[in-house]
Amino acid sequence: MVLQWHQFGFPWLVTAVHSLGGIIGMRLLVATGHFKPKHLDRQQKRLLWIFSTLYTVNIAVSNVSLHYVSVPLHQVVRGTVPVFTVLISLIWRTAPQGYSWRVYASLVPVVVGVGLATYGDYYSFTIVGFLLTLLGTVLAATKTVVTNTILVGGYRLKLPALDLLYQLSPLAFVQTITWAAVSGELSVAWTFVRSLQSDSNPDGVYPLAMALIGNGAIAFLLNIASFTASKNTSALAMTVTGNVKVVLAVVLGCAMFNITLSRLSTFGIGLTLVGGAAYSAVRLHEAQRIKDQASKSIV
């Protein structure tokens, strides 16, 4: 919304606004007595700093790669995040029991569907751009696995969702605003904001400011929902949900900006949604089967 309606083409600053929303939101929860942060020792803080750096580098690589590849190709490659999540989970043994063939089968429509939904110019890219996009995909999968591990007790942390958001928001804000300054985005954005203010339009900055404030508030709520969901499910489930989110964003964008979907894109959206539903059904069935087996062994 901010990027499209207000021509605010500054992704690092938008990410910084999201982090600032987390800082303000969590401080308000602390001030009103709804949240008490957990005390962390020096080693735990160091681990969180490393994780926040992974988060920032992931965004950086994704933003840079978009300069060298087309958006459709970028979405197709990023749509393979569930595949890399499976590989990383198996290598790091965060899913020691592995996955059944039904889970693997349900991932196929989720990945293929994103490719069809975002179909377009797949051929405008450079080798460097493709490799950067692939690296960003691996980093995104790694970030998801690490997030889930931290929330469920890995790396000596086991942080509640709100604690993770409380600790990460300031780190992410400092890192993203620093990157915006180093890359020159901050100075360009300042020039853009000043251009909105004129004698004929004294309130030119006000709509953008309100949009950014609203964007930060929504990001705060979404981060709470995302971290809470990640704590209560698996990293793979989060990446499958991420693919479903991509196709729903396509639908919402077409509705908001009056764009007609092609038949191929419509089929891809449906395929991704069916795959997401199939994955959920398979995981629920397997969880129930494990529960039933545990009950029988107790008896």
Side-chain angles (χ1 to χ4, degrees):
M1 180 184 70
V2 173
L3 298 178
Q4 291 288 337
W5 287 347
H6 298 280
Q7 291 81 50
F8 194 77
F10 309 104
W12 279 111
L13 290 179
V14 171
T15 305
V17 168
H18 292 173
S19 302
L20 184 60
I23 294 172
I24 295 173
M26 292 310 304
R27 267 38 180 199
L28 286 174
L29 290 180
V30 172
T32 55
H34 290 88
F35 168 70
K36 184 177 180 180
K38 181 179 179 180
H39 176 72
L40 301 180
D41 59 34
R42 183 175 298 178
Q43 183 179 0
Q44 290 172 321
K45 289 180 179 179
R46 188 181 301 115
L47 287 170
L48 281 179
W49 184 86
I50 294 173
F51 174 68
S52 69
T53 303
L54 171 64
Y55 170 85
T56 304
V57 170
N58 173 49
I59 298 173
V61 172
S62 179
N63 288 341
V64 172
S65 65
L66 278 170
H67 291 288
Y68 300 99
V69 301
S70 63
V71 173
L73 179 62
H74 188 269
Q75 291 292 353
V76 166
V77 177
R78 297 283 289 194
T80 61
V81 169
V83 176
F84 288 102
T85 302
V86 167
L87 294 175
I88 293 170
S89 297
L90 294 176
I91 293 171
W92 289 0
R93 299 183 181 276
T94 57
Q97 75 282 3
Y99 301 99
S100 69
W101 69 266
R102 294 180 180 83
V103 171
Y104 292 121
S106 69
L107 294 180
V108 174
V110 173
V111 174
V112 174
V114 171
L116 296 177
T118 59
Y119 179 78
D121 180 13
Y122 291 156
Y123 308 104
S124 297
F125 70 94
T126 64
I127 296 299
V128 171
F130 178 79
L131 292 176
L132 283 173
T133 305
L134 191 62
L135 174 61
T137 303
V138 175
L139 289 173
T142 304
K143 178 178 70 70
T144 305
V145 173
V146 173
T147 300
N148 179 259
T149 304
I150 288 174
L151 288 168
V152 300
Y155 310 125
R156 294 182 56 249
L157 287 171
K158 196 174 184 179
L159 291 177
L162 289 181
D163 263 297
L164 185 57
L165 183 57
Y166 176 84
Q167 299 290 346
L168 282 183
S169 293
L171 295 172
F173 177 76
V174 171
Q175 290 170 348
T176 51
I177 204 72
T178 300
W179 192 282
V182 171
S183 65
E185 184 179 291
L186 192 59
S187 60
V188 176
W190 176 247
T191 302
F192 170 78
V193 170
R194 290 186 63 183
S195 70
L196 298 177
Q197 195 82 23
S198 64
D199 294 336
S200 59
N201 187 24
D203 296 328
V205 181
Y206 181 77
L208 175 61
M210 291 298 100
L212 288 172
I213 291 172
N215 203 262
I218 292 172
F220 168 63
L221 296 176
L222 287 177
N223 278 328
I224 291 178
S226 176
F227 285 145
T228 302
S230 183
K231 184 177 179 64
N232 292 282
T233 188
S234 67
L236 180 57
M238 292 301 295
T239 56
V240 170
T241 303
N243 274 21
V244 173
K245 180 185 70 176
V246 168
V247 299
L248 292 180
V250 171
V251 174
L252 181 60
C254 290
M256 292 176 65
F257 298 105
N258 216 11
I259 300 173
T260 302
L261 282 169
S262 67
R263 291 182 179 178
L264 188 61
S265 294
T266 303
F267 177 73
I269 290 169
L271 189 62
T272 302
L273 295 177
V274 169
Y279 172 83
S280 298
V282 168
R283 295 298 276 177
L284 285 172
H285 174 74
E286 292 181 348
Q288 185 61 46
R289 185 180 62 188
I290 293 173
K291 184 177 179 182
D292 291 342
Q293 289 175 348
S295 299
K296 289 179 181 179
S297 63
I298 293 174
V299 175

